[in-house]
């Protein structure tokens, strides 16, 4: 486990990324996004790697963006320039190698929208997907406003992204962003096996086929940047500040 709370493991042609900050439910800081982005860019450039796998740690995928980081940005103390989160989102949108997810437990915010960037996903019965952007005064990110309606239709995407309703593993399976529900104890091995099979296939044929199925990244990048501009604006809003403060002080009363 590294200082950055991101574990990077490579075997049999698969790079496995895992968030390792269990004391904060694997909530993502900017440093963690940067570590993920660095690892993804390195794996894309490395001929030894043929697939990415996003896995869970200690029964949690992620509780989403660190709300203390959101609050710091809302009050002007956040990191400046090209932030780690945008580097990570763009690394996903531009990836040419297949991406697989193995979700055990909570997958909140970007933990849910990451599924729409992945090519295949597996969930344990304990998986719980939730995208509470509006409750936080924010807007959906990670090109989810484009990809979610495409995958599950407008009504279900609206329920998930705008009503902010949580989806169980079974519901995610019905909605079409999870391939199978696998018992927690078998989840990692199952998802790894699929990722390794993808990585072992002829690389160029895989890359071309994936691009045919997904389309060029331009559209996703354009939507992602439009969402990102609104998201940055919303971070400064009174609605967002109030929601972040409410979360940060919820245990005080
Ligand atoms: N950002 C920062 N800290 C977070 C966090 C987040 N997104 N999610 C959890 N944590 C922290 C909690 O503050 C708590 O820290 P503490 O022990 O220092 O108080 C610790 O992780 C454990 O979380 P806790 O809330 O006690 O666990 P829980 O099982 O009762 O609830 C969640 C777990 C994930 C449902 C709840 O923490 C939550 O709603 N988190 C926010 C999710 C969110 O809105 N993410 C942003 C999406 S855009």
């Amino acid at each position: 486990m590294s200082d950055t709370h991101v574990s990077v493991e490579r075997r049999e042609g698969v790079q496995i990324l895992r968030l390792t900050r269990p004391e904060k439910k694997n909530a993502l800081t900017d440093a963690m996004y940067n570590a993920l982005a660095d690892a993804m860019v390195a794996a894309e450039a490395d001929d030894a790697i043929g697939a990415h796998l996003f896995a869970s740690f200690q029964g949690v995928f992620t509780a989403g963006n660190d709300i203390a980081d959101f609050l710091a940005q809302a009050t002007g103390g956040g990191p400046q320039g090209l932030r780690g989160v945008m580097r990570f989102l763009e690394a996903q949108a531009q990836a040419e190698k297949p991406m697989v997810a193995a979700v055990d437990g909570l997958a909140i915010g970007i933990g849910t929208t990451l599924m729409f960037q992945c090519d295949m996903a597996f969930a344990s019965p304990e998986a719980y997907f939730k995208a509470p952007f509006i409750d936080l005064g924010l807007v959906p990110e990670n090109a989810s406003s484009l990809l979610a309606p495409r995958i599950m239709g407008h009504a279900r995407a609206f329920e998930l992204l705008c009503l902010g309703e949580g989806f169980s593993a079974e519901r995610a399976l019905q909605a079409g962003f999870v391939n199978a529900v696998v018992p927690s104890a078998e989840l990692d091995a199952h998802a790894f096996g699929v990722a390794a099979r993808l990585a072992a296939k002829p690389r160029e044929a895989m890359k071309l086929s994936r691009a045919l199925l997904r389309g060029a990244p331009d559209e996703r990048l354009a939507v992602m940047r439009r969402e990102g501009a609104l998201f940055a604006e919303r971070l400064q809003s009174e609605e967002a500040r109030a929601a972040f403060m409410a979360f940060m002080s919820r245990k005080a009363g």
Side-chain angles (χ1 to χ4, degrees):
M1 201 183 302
S2 74
D3 290 336
T4 54
H5 297 295
V6 173
S7 130
V8 183
E9 191 190 339
R10 292 172 156 213
R11 53 190 160 95
E12 294 172 48
V14 179
Q15 176 166 279
I16 307 164
L17 296 178
R18 217 182 279 275
L19 305 175
T20 54
R21 197 186 176 208
E23 69 283 6
K24 294 286 181 189
K25 306 275 178 192
N26 300 338
L28 281 145
T29 61
D30 207 58
M32 289 162 76
Y33 285 120
N34 269 316
L36 290 172
D38 289 346
M40 282 205 67
V41 169
E44 282 288 307
D46 187 344
D47 290 341
I49 299 298
H52 308 269
L53 173 61
F54 298 97
S56 304
F57 185 66
Q58 294 189 5
V60 179
F61 191 62
T62 176
N65 202 103
D66 188 302
I67 293 182
D69 261 24
F70 272 163
L71 186 60
Q73 287 163 54
T75 50
Q80 303 300 309
L82 184 59
R83 296 181 45 242
V85 63
M86 276 319 281
R87 287 191 59 224
F88 174 55
L89 298 190
E90 294 192 6
Q92 285 173 77
Q94 285 168 327
E96 293 186 325
K97 298 176 181 177
M99 295 193 278
V100 178
V103 177
D104 192 18
L106 295 169
I108 304 187
I110 194 167
T112 288
T113 61
L114 180 60
M115 299 305 120
F116 314 141
Q117 296 283 355
C118 284
D119 301 293
M120 295 182 74
F122 301 93
S124 76
E126 289 74 35
Y128 185 67
F129 300 90
K130 194 170 166 69
F133 297 112
I134 293 185
D135 293 335
L136 291 171
L138 302 171
V139 294
E141 36 69 310
N142 206 3
S144 59
S145 60
L146 172 79
L147 301 175
R150 225 175 239 184
I151 292 169
M152 63 189 97
H154 180 82
R156 281 185 294 195
F158 206 85
E159 182 182 344
L160 183 67
L161 295 176
C162 295
L163 185 60
E165 200 72 355
F167 277 25
S168 65
E170 207 51 50
R171 189 86 207 284
L173 181 69
Q174 286 163 9
F177 62 89
V178 155
N179 289 79
V181 180
V182 178
S184 185
E186 295 158 30
L187 180 67
D188 266 16
H190 183 88
F192 176 78
V194 170
R197 277 166 58 202
L198 292 169
K201 293 196 186 283
R203 290 281 166 79
E204 199 57 25
M206 175 60 77
K207 182 173 123 182
L208 292 169
S209 305
R210 183 177 183 274
L212 284 169
L213 265 75
R214 282 219 154 245
D218 315 33
E219 188 188 22
R220 294 192 294 284
L221 283 167
V223 171
M224 199 175 263
R225 287 172 187 155
R226 212 160 52 238
E227 292 169 344
L230 279 174
F231 199 99
E233 261 179 54
R234 295 302 308 167
L235 279 174
Q236 311 294 327
S237 70
E238 201 38 58
E239 288 175 346
R241 238 191 309 263
F244 303 154
M245 299 289 284
F247 178 75
M248 298 307 293
S249 59
R250 75 202 192 290
K251 286 181 182 171

mmCIF file of all heavy atoms in Angstrom, residues 18 25-26 54-63 101-108 111 115 122-129 169 178 181-188 191:
data_model
loop_
_atom_site.group_PDB
_atom_site.id
_atom_site.type_symbol
_atom_site.label_atom_id
_atom_site.label_comp_id
_atom_site.label_asym_id
_atom_site.label_seq_id
_atom_site.Cartn_x
_atom_site.Cartn_y
_atom_site.Cartn_z
ATOM 1 N N ARG A 18 -6.503 -0.162 -7.141
ATOM 2 C CA ARG A 18 -7.351 -0.339 -5.968
ATOM 3 C C ARG A 18 -7.147 0.862 -5.047
ATOM 4 O O ARG A 18 -6.001 1.242 -4.779
ATOM 5 C CB ARG A 18 -6.854 -1.599 -5.237
ATOM 6 C CG ARG A 18 -7.862 -2.479 -4.617
ATOM 7 C CD ARG A 18 -7.132 -3.626 -3.907
ATOM 8 N NE ARG A 18 -6.721 -4.697 -4.792
ATOM 9 C CZ ARG A 18 -7.495 -5.710 -5.160
ATOM 10 N NH1 ARG A 18 -8.726 -5.797 -4.720
ATOM 11 N NH2 ARG A 18 -7.041 -6.650 -5.959
ATOM 12 N N LYS A 25 -13.495 5.243 3.807
ATOM 13 C CA LYS A 25 -14.312 4.526 2.810
ATOM 14 C C LYS A 25 -13.764 4.709 1.384
ATOM 15 O O LYS A 25 -14.524 4.834 0.422
ATOM 16 C CB LYS A 25 -15.780 4.971 2.859
ATOM 17 C CG LYS A 25 -16.418 4.873 4.238
ATOM 18 C CD LYS A 25 -16.940 3.490 4.508
ATOM 19 C CE LYS A 25 -17.541 3.379 5.895
ATOM 20 N NZ LYS A 25 -17.809 2.031 6.311
ATOM 21 N N ASN A 26 -12.433 4.774 1.295
ATOM 22 C CA ASN A 26 -11.759 4.934 -0.003
ATOM 23 C C ASN A 26 -12.189 6.200 -0.755
ATOM 24 O O ASN A 26 -12.180 6.232 -1.995
ATOM 25 C CB ASN A 26 -11.951 3.692 -0.894
ATOM 26 C CG ASN A 26 -11.387 2.436 -0.277
ATOM 27 O OD1 ASN A 26 -10.513 2.502 0.587
ATOM 28 N ND2 ASN A 26 -11.877 1.280 -0.692
ATOM 29 N N PHE A 54 -10.291 -2.115 -12.203
ATOM 30 C CA PHE A 54 -10.529 -1.287 -11.008
ATOM 31 C C PHE A 54 -11.190 -2.184 -9.969
ATOM 32 O O PHE A 54 -12.311 -2.656 -10.195
ATOM 33 C CB PHE A 54 -11.447 -0.110 -11.337
ATOM 34 C CG PHE A 54 -10.861 0.838 -12.356
ATOM 35 C CD1 PHE A 54 -11.198 0.741 -13.696
ATOM 36 C CD2 PHE A 54 -9.946 1.809 -11.966
ATOM 37 C CE1 PHE A 54 -10.648 1.597 -14.638
ATOM 38 C CE2 PHE A 54 -9.388 2.680 -12.902
ATOM 39 C CZ PHE A 54 -9.739 2.571 -14.238
ATOM 40 N N ALA A 55 -10.493 -2.417 -8.857
ATOM 41 C CA ALA A 55 -11.007 -3.367 -7.866
ATOM 42 C C ALA A 55 -11.324 -2.659 -6.550
ATOM 43 O O ALA A 55 -11.017 -1.473 -6.375
ATOM 44 C CB ALA A 55 -9.975 -4.471 -7.646
ATOM 45 N N SER A 56 -11.953 -3.379 -5.646
ATOM 46 C CA SER A 56 -12.373 -2.823 -4.358
ATOM 47 C C SER A 56 -11.355 -3.179 -3.272
ATOM 48 O O SER A 56 -10.435 -3.976 -3.509
ATOM 49 C CB SER A 56 -13.752 -3.378 -3.990
ATOM 50 O OG SER A 56 -14.665 -3.104 -5.029
ATOM 51 N N PHE A 57 -11.525 -2.609 -2.101
ATOM 52 C CA PHE A 57 -10.600 -2.870 -0.993
ATOM 53 C C PHE A 57 -11.387 -2.898 0.308
ATOM 54 O O PHE A 57 -12.130 -1.956 0.601
ATOM 55 C CB PHE A 57 -9.522 -1.780 -0.951
ATOM 56 C CG PHE A 57 -8.450 -1.994 0.072
ATOM 57 C CD1 PHE A 57 -7.556 -3.066 -0.040
ATOM 58 C CD2 PHE A 57 -8.314 -1.140 1.153
ATOM 59 C CE1 PHE A 57 -6.553 -3.268 0.903
ATOM 60 C CE2 PHE A 57 -7.321 -1.336 2.104
ATOM 61 C CZ PHE A 57 -6.440 -2.401 1.971
ATOM 62 N N GLN A 58 -11.244 -3.989 1.044
ATOM 63 C CA GLN A 58 -11.923 -4.161 2.335
ATOM 64 C C GLN A 58 -13.417 -3.872 2.240
ATOM 65 O O GLN A 58 -13.984 -3.136 3.057
ATOM 66 C CB GLN A 58 -11.253 -3.297 3.402
ATOM 67 C CG GLN A 58 -9.838 -3.774 3.681
ATOM 68 C CD GLN A 58 -9.189 -3.087 4.886
ATOM 69 O OE1 GLN A 58 -9.815 -2.311 5.589
ATOM 70 N NE2 GLN A 58 -7.925 -3.390 5.116
ATOM 71 N N GLY A 59 -14.032 -4.438 1.214
ATOM 72 C CA GLY A 59 -15.491 -4.358 1.095
ATOM 73 C C GLY A 59 -16.042 -3.016 0.663
ATOM 74 O O GLY A 59 -17.236 -2.754 0.821
ATOM 75 N N VAL A 60 -15.161 -2.157 0.114
ATOM 76 C CA VAL A 60 -15.631 -0.853 -0.381
ATOM 77 C C VAL A 60 -14.957 -0.570 -1.726
ATOM 78 O O VAL A 60 -13.751 -0.809 -1.880
ATOM 79 C CB VAL A 60 -15.264 0.295 0.600
ATOM 80 C CG1 VAL A 60 -15.742 1.646 0.057
ATOM 81 C CG2 VAL A 60 -15.867 0.048 1.977
ATOM 82 N N PHE A 61 -15.737 -0.055 -2.684
ATOM 83 C CA PHE A 61 -15.131 0.414 -3.936
ATOM 84 C C PHE A 61 -14.656 1.846 -3.663
ATOM 85 O O PHE A 61 -13.475 2.061 -3.452
ATOM 86 C CB PHE A 61 -16.160 0.328 -5.067
ATOM 87 C CG PHE A 61 -15.567 0.531 -6.440
ATOM 88 C CD1 PHE A 61 -14.616 -0.337 -6.945
ATOM 89 C CD2 PHE A 61 -15.973 1.595 -7.239
ATOM 90 C CE1 PHE A 61 -14.056 -0.142 -8.210
ATOM 91 C CE2 PHE A 61 -15.433 1.793 -8.502
ATOM 92 C CZ PHE A 61 -14.471 0.924 -8.980
ATOM 93 N N THR A 62 -15.569 2.799 -3.561
ATOM 94 C CA THR A 62 -15.204 4.143 -3.107
ATOM 95 C C THR A 62 -16.441 4.928 -2.675
ATOM 96 O O THR A 62 -17.518 4.763 -3.253
ATOM 97 C CB THR A 62 -14.444 4.943 -4.187
ATOM 98 O OG1 THR A 62 -14.199 6.274 -3.700
ATOM 99 C CG2 THR A 62 -15.229 5.056 -5.479
ATOM 100 N N ALA A 63 -16.253 5.809 -1.676
ATOM 101 C CA ALA A 63 -17.335 6.720 -1.252
ATOM 102 C C ALA A 63 -17.322 7.992 -2.086
ATOM 103 O O ALA A 63 -17.959 8.978 -1.724
ATOM 104 C CB ALA A 63 -17.198 7.053 0.225
ATOM 105 N N ALA A 101 -14.344 -3.433 -14.128
ATOM 106 C CA ALA A 101 -14.482 -3.038 -12.720
ATOM 107 C C ALA A 101 -15.004 -4.210 -11.897
ATOM 108 O O ALA A 101 -15.788 -5.032 -12.389
ATOM 109 C CB ALA A 101 -15.433 -1.845 -12.593
ATOM 110 N N ALA A 102 -14.556 -4.268 -10.638
ATOM 111 C CA ALA A 102 -15.034 -5.279 -9.688
ATOM 112 C C ALA A 102 -15.493 -4.524 -8.450
ATOM 113 O O ALA A 102 -14.674 -4.037 -7.669
ATOM 114 C CB ALA A 102 -13.903 -6.242 -9.332
ATOM 115 N N VAL A 103 -16.816 -4.385 -8.290
ATOM 116 C CA VAL A 103 -17.358 -3.525 -7.231
ATOM 117 C C VAL A 103 -17.928 -4.339 -6.076
ATOM 118 O O VAL A 103 -18.886 -5.094 -6.237
ATOM 119 C CB VAL A 103 -18.464 -2.595 -7.796
ATOM 120 C CG1 VAL A 103 -19.065 -1.754 -6.674
ATOM 121 C CG2 VAL A 103 -17.886 -1.701 -8.876
ATOM 122 N N ASP A 104 -17.319 -4.133 -4.919
ATOM 123 C CA ASP A 104 -17.817 -4.737 -3.681
ATOM 124 C C ASP A 104 -18.180 -3.570 -2.765
ATOM 125 O O ASP A 104 -17.362 -2.677 -2.559
ATOM 126 C CB ASP A 104 -16.682 -5.577 -3.067
ATOM 127 C CG ASP A 104 -17.179 -6.477 -1.954
ATOM 128 O OD1 ASP A 104 -18.391 -6.716 -1.859
ATOM 129 O OD2 ASP A 104 -16.315 -6.955 -1.169
ATOM 130 N N GLY A 105 -19.381 -3.534 -2.241
ATOM 131 C CA GLY A 105 -19.762 -2.457 -1.319
ATOM 132 C C GLY A 105 -20.092 -1.160 -2.029
ATOM 133 O O GLY A 105 -20.556 -1.156 -3.172
ATOM 134 N N LEU A 106 -19.797 -0.047 -1.323
ATOM 135 C CA LEU A 106 -20.197 1.277 -1.809
ATOM 136 C C LEU A 106 -19.463 1.699 -3.078
ATOM 137 O O LEU A 106 -18.243 1.575 -3.162
ATOM 138 C CB LEU A 106 -19.880 2.319 -0.744
ATOM 139 C CG LEU A 106 -20.640 2.244 0.574
ATOM 140 C CD1 LEU A 106 -20.003 3.181 1.592
ATOM 141 C CD2 LEU A 106 -22.103 2.608 0.334
ATOM 142 N N ALA A 107 -20.210 2.232 -4.017
ATOM 143 C CA ALA A 107 -19.630 2.865 -5.218
ATOM 144 C C ALA A 107 -20.409 4.164 -5.413
ATOM 145 O O ALA A 107 -21.420 4.195 -6.099
ATOM 146 C CB ALA A 107 -19.756 1.949 -6.432
ATOM 147 N N ILE A 108 -19.911 5.229 -4.771
ATOM 148 C CA ILE A 108 -20.658 6.481 -4.746
ATOM 149 C C ILE A 108 -20.011 7.502 -5.683
ATOM 150 O O ILE A 108 -18.785 7.506 -5.848
ATOM 151 C CB ILE A 108 -20.727 7.045 -3.309
ATOM 152 C CG1 ILE A 108 -21.330 5.987 -2.374
ATOM 153 C CG2 ILE A 108 -21.553 8.322 -3.245
ATOM 154 C CD1 ILE A 108 -21.604 6.446 -0.974
ATOM 155 N N GLY A 111 -17.517 6.645 -8.198
ATOM 156 C CA GLY A 111 -17.524 5.179 -8.105
ATOM 157 C C GLY A 111 -18.612 4.588 -8.979
ATOM 158 O O GLY A 111 -18.463 3.490 -9.532
ATOM 159 N N MET A 115 -18.320 3.282 -13.837
ATOM 160 C CA MET A 115 -18.866 2.074 -14.476
ATOM 161 C C MET A 115 -19.176 2.317 -15.950
ATOM 162 O O MET A 115 -19.048 1.428 -16.782
ATOM 163 C CB MET A 115 -20.182 1.608 -13.802
ATOM 164 C CG MET A 115 -20.053 1.232 -12.359
ATOM 165 S SD MET A 115 -18.797 -0.013 -12.112
ATOM 166 C CE MET A 115 -17.698 0.849 -11.023
ATOM 167 N N PHE A 122 -18.372 -6.110 -12.814
ATOM 168 C CA PHE A 122 -18.925 -7.181 -11.973
ATOM 169 C C PHE A 122 -19.170 -6.607 -10.590
ATOM 170 O O PHE A 122 -18.435 -5.729 -10.145
ATOM 171 C CB PHE A 122 -17.953 -8.369 -11.926
ATOM 172 C CG PHE A 122 -17.689 -8.902 -13.301
ATOM 173 C CD1 PHE A 122 -16.598 -8.448 -14.044
ATOM 174 C CD2 PHE A 122 -18.584 -9.783 -13.898
ATOM 175 C CE1 PHE A 122 -16.395 -8.879 -15.349
ATOM 176 C CE2 PHE A 122 -18.376 -10.220 -15.206
ATOM 177 C CZ PHE A 122 -17.282 -9.770 -15.931
ATOM 178 N N ALA A 123 -20.222 -7.075 -9.938
ATOM 179 C CA ALA A 123 -20.580 -6.529 -8.630
ATOM 180 C C ALA A 123 -20.911 -7.658 -7.678
ATOM 181 O O ALA A 123 -21.487 -8.677 -8.086
ATOM 182 C CB ALA A 123 -21.776 -5.595 -8.774
ATOM 183 N N SER A 124 -20.576 -7.468 -6.414
ATOM 184 C CA SER A 124 -20.992 -8.432 -5.391
ATOM 185 C C SER A 124 -22.420 -8.072 -4.986
ATOM 186 O O SER A 124 -22.880 -6.947 -5.257
ATOM 187 C CB SER A 124 -20.063 -8.348 -4.170
ATOM 188 O OG SER A 124 -20.374 -7.191 -3.411
ATOM 189 N N PRO A 125 -23.124 -8.984 -4.310
ATOM 190 C CA PRO A 125 -24.490 -8.650 -3.867
ATOM 191 C C PRO A 125 -24.493 -7.464 -2.902
ATOM 192 O O PRO A 125 -25.525 -6.833 -2.710
ATOM 193 C CB PRO A 125 -24.951 -9.937 -3.146
ATOM 194 C CG PRO A 125 -24.060 -11.017 -3.679
ATOM 195 C CD PRO A 125 -22.749 -10.368 -3.991
ATOM 196 N N GLU A 126 -23.352 -7.143 -2.307
ATOM 197 C CA GLU A 126 -23.262 -6.009 -1.368
ATOM 198 C C GLU A 126 -23.009 -4.687 -2.083
ATOM 199 O O GLU A 126 -22.974 -3.638 -1.445
ATOM 200 C CB GLU A 126 -22.121 -6.241 -0.350
ATOM 201 C CG GLU A 126 -22.399 -7.338 0.676
ATOM 202 C CD GLU A 126 -22.296 -8.745 0.093
ATOM 203 O OE1 GLU A 126 -21.432 -8.967 -0.795
ATOM 204 O OE2 GLU A 126 -23.091 -9.622 0.487
ATOM 205 N N ALA A 127 -22.806 -4.719 -3.374
ATOM 206 C CA ALA A 127 -22.506 -3.479 -4.113
ATOM 207 C C ALA A 127 -23.698 -2.531 -4.040
ATOM 208 O O ALA A 127 -24.862 -2.961 -4.037
ATOM 209 C CB ALA A 127 -22.175 -3.792 -5.566
ATOM 210 N N TYR A 128 -23.397 -1.243 -3.958
ATOM 211 C CA TYR A 128 -24.458 -0.231 -3.876
ATOM 212 C C TYR A 128 -23.977 0.999 -4.636
ATOM 213 O O TYR A 128 -22.947 1.585 -4.291
ATOM 214 C CB TYR A 128 -24.732 0.103 -2.408
ATOM 215 C CG TYR A 128 -25.888 1.048 -2.200
ATOM 216 C CD1 TYR A 128 -27.197 0.659 -2.491
ATOM 217 C CD2 TYR A 128 -25.679 2.324 -1.690
ATOM 218 C CE1 TYR A 128 -28.266 1.527 -2.284
ATOM 219 C CE2 TYR A 128 -26.743 3.182 -1.471
ATOM 220 C CZ TYR A 128 -28.031 2.788 -1.781
ATOM 221 O OH TYR A 128 -29.082 3.639 -1.566
ATOM 222 N N PHE A 129 -24.707 1.327 -5.694
ATOM 223 C CA PHE A 129 -24.303 2.426 -6.565
ATOM 224 C C PHE A 129 -25.177 3.640 -6.270
ATOM 225 O O PHE A 129 -26.412 3.525 -6.222
ATOM 226 C CB PHE A 129 -24.486 2.010 -8.036
ATOM 227 C CG PHE A 129 -23.673 0.802 -8.413
ATOM 228 C CD1 PHE A 129 -24.198 -0.484 -8.282
ATOM 229 C CD2 PHE A 129 -22.374 0.932 -8.881
ATOM 230 C CE1 PHE A 129 -23.449 -1.607 -8.616
ATOM 231 C CE2 PHE A 129 -21.612 -0.178 -9.215
ATOM 232 C CZ PHE A 129 -22.156 -1.453 -9.083
ATOM 233 N N ALA A 169 -26.893 -4.137 -6.658
ATOM 234 C CA ALA A 169 -26.180 -4.869 -7.706
ATOM 235 C C ALA A 169 -27.168 -5.428 -8.731
ATOM 236 O O ALA A 169 -26.936 -5.369 -9.951
ATOM 237 C CB ALA A 169 -25.377 -6.000 -7.078
ATOM 238 N N VAL A 178 -23.727 -3.510 -15.300
ATOM 239 C CA VAL A 178 -22.989 -4.590 -14.636
ATOM 240 C C VAL A 178 -23.252 -5.865 -15.445
ATOM 241 O O VAL A 178 -24.382 -6.112 -15.853
ATOM 242 C CB VAL A 178 -23.479 -4.714 -13.163
ATOM 243 C CG1 VAL A 178 -23.251 -6.088 -12.612
ATOM 244 C CG2 VAL A 178 -22.807 -3.661 -12.282
ATOM 245 N N VAL A 181 -23.568 -10.503 -11.283
ATOM 246 C CA VAL A 181 -23.424 -10.372 -9.826
ATOM 247 C C VAL A 181 -22.705 -11.638 -9.357
ATOM 248 O O VAL A 181 -23.128 -12.756 -9.674
ATOM 249 C CB VAL A 181 -24.798 -10.211 -9.135
ATOM 250 C CG1 VAL A 181 -24.627 -10.088 -7.621
ATOM 251 C CG2 VAL A 181 -25.526 -8.977 -9.689
ATOM 252 N N VAL A 182 -21.601 -11.424 -8.631
ATOM 253 C CA VAL A 182 -20.717 -12.534 -8.251
ATOM 254 C C VAL A 182 -20.507 -12.452 -6.734
ATOM 255 O O VAL A 182 -20.276 -11.357 -6.211
ATOM 256 C CB VAL A 182 -19.351 -12.364 -8.981
ATOM 257 C CG1 VAL A 182 -18.387 -13.467 -8.592
ATOM 258 C CG2 VAL A 182 -19.540 -12.319 -10.489
ATOM 259 N N PRO A 183 -20.575 -13.583 -6.023
ATOM 260 C CA PRO A 183 -20.351 -13.519 -4.570
ATOM 261 C C PRO A 183 -19.053 -12.796 -4.228
ATOM 262 O O PRO A 183 -18.051 -12.952 -4.939
ATOM 263 C CB PRO A 183 -20.281 -14.991 -4.154
ATOM 264 C CG PRO A 183 -21.003 -15.732 -5.231
ATOM 265 C CD PRO A 183 -20.814 -14.947 -6.497
ATOM 266 N N SER A 184 -19.098 -12.045 -3.150
ATOM 267 C CA SER A 184 -17.971 -11.206 -2.739
ATOM 268 C C SER A 184 -16.640 -11.978 -2.730
ATOM 269 O O SER A 184 -15.622 -11.483 -3.209
ATOM 270 C CB SER A 184 -18.294 -10.652 -1.356
ATOM 271 O OG SER A 184 -17.318 -9.770 -0.966
ATOM 272 N N ALA A 185 -16.686 -13.208 -2.196
ATOM 273 C CA ALA A 185 -15.450 -13.987 -2.048
ATOM 274 C C ALA A 185 -14.852 -14.375 -3.406
ATOM 275 O O ALA A 185 -13.666 -14.689 -3.501
ATOM 276 C CB ALA A 185 -15.727 -15.236 -1.218
ATOM 277 N N GLU A 186 -15.677 -14.380 -4.446
ATOM 278 C CA GLU A 186 -15.189 -14.795 -5.778
ATOM 279 C C GLU A 186 -15.000 -13.624 -6.724
ATOM 280 O O GLU A 186 -14.557 -13.794 -7.864
ATOM 281 C CB GLU A 186 -16.205 -15.772 -6.418
ATOM 282 C CG GLU A 186 -16.351 -17.072 -5.682
ATOM 283 C CD GLU A 186 -17.684 -17.759 -5.985
ATOM 284 O OE1 GLU A 186 -18.217 -17.583 -7.094
ATOM 285 O OE2 GLU A 186 -18.190 -18.437 -5.068
ATOM 286 N N LEU A 187 -15.387 -12.418 -6.259
ATOM 287 C CA LEU A 187 -15.459 -11.273 -7.167
ATOM 288 C C LEU A 187 -14.118 -10.932 -7.813
ATOM 289 O O LEU A 187 -14.027 -10.808 -9.047
ATOM 290 C CB LEU A 187 -16.001 -10.059 -6.388
ATOM 291 C CG LEU A 187 -16.132 -8.767 -7.185
ATOM 292 C CD1 LEU A 187 -17.214 -8.897 -8.259
ATOM 293 C CD2 LEU A 187 -16.450 -7.599 -6.252
ATOM 294 N N ASP A 188 -13.079 -10.780 -7.000
ATOM 295 C CA ASP A 188 -11.780 -10.370 -7.542
ATOM 296 C C ASP A 188 -11.268 -11.380 -8.561
ATOM 297 O O ASP A 188 -10.819 -11.002 -9.643
ATOM 298 C CB ASP A 188 -10.753 -10.232 -6.404
ATOM 299 C CG ASP A 188 -10.671 -8.808 -5.893
ATOM 300 O OD1 ASP A 188 -11.597 -8.021 -6.194
ATOM 301 O OD2 ASP A 188 -9.686 -8.478 -5.198
ATOM 302 N N ALA A 191 -13.402 -11.204 -11.835
ATOM 303 C CA ALA A 191 -13.141 -10.015 -12.662
ATOM 304 C C ALA A 191 -11.722 -10.069 -13.224
ATOM 305 O O ALA A 191 -11.499 -9.721 -14.390
ATOM 306 C CB ALA A 191 -13.341 -8.749 -11.830
#
